[in-house]
Amino acid sequence: MAKHLNEWYTEGLLQQKPEVVRSIFAEFLPPVIAFVRANAGTQEDAKDVFMYALEIVYRKLKAGELELSALFSTYLQAICRRHWLKSLRRNKFDAGVTPDDPVVSNTMGKEQDTAFSENSERKVLFAAKFQENTNVINKLGTL
């Protein structure tokens, strides 16, 4: 094993050593599965996310662009986490939630009522201030 565990993982992954790859899967895949399943995903989703993260790490290693300042596991799990959350947001956006959905329409109705009443109050206040300014300008014009 190399001096540091990070070196063992990065060098082993770069050299495609089977024992390192098995170790990475054995140690780091279960927490990713737990995270993805806790956040509306499946085990298959977690495996896809994990493979995506490994591919990113491998490409960065191969290009010489990866310089770890944290543990390998932290870096790998951060990529998995960000990728999964990004895909959740994308799926939520692509789901096509419409204003006609009961939860959305109920919420929108309350927000629109509040906005309308606040907007009406602002309009009345604005009109009063505008009239005051108009009166002041008219008085200055007559001087």
Side-chain angles (χ1 to χ4, degrees), residues 72-143:
F72 178 82
S73 61
T74 304
Y75 184 72
L76 184 63
Q77 289 175 353
I79 294 171
C80 291
R81 177 182 165 84
R82 291 189 72 198
H83 181 65
W84 178 246
L85 294 176
K86 184 177 178 181
S87 105
L88 276 179
R89 280 192 301 274
R90 184 175 42 247
N91 290 343
K92 184 177 179 183
F93 182 74
D94 291 344
V97 177
T98 64
D100 299 331
D101 291 341
V103 173
V104 174
S105 62
N106 289 342
T107 305
M108 284 178 61
K110 292 175 187 173
E111 289 173 356
Q112 286 175 346
D113 290 344
T114 304
F116 181 75
S117 66
E118 288 174 0
N119 197 19
S120 296
E121 292 171 13
R122 290 182 71 192
K123 282 183 179 179
V124 169
L125 182 61
F126 179 77
K129 291 295 181 182
F130 185 77
Q131 187 59 45
E132 286 177 26
N133 288 339
T134 303
N135 292 341
V136 170
I137 289 172
N138 287 339
K139 285 181 185 177
L140 287 174
T142 58
L143 293 178

Side-chain angles (χ1 to χ4, degrees), residues 56-83:
I56 287 175
V57 171
Y58 178 75
R59 286 184 181 185
K60 286 190 174 276
L61 283 170
K62 196 169 185 178
E65 298 173 354
L66 183 65
E67 196 169 315
L68 292 175
S69 60
L71 292 175
F72 178 82
S73 61
T74 304
Y75 184 72
L76 184 63
Q77 289 175 353
I79 294 171
C80 291
R81 177 182 165 84
R82 291 189 72 198
H83 181 65

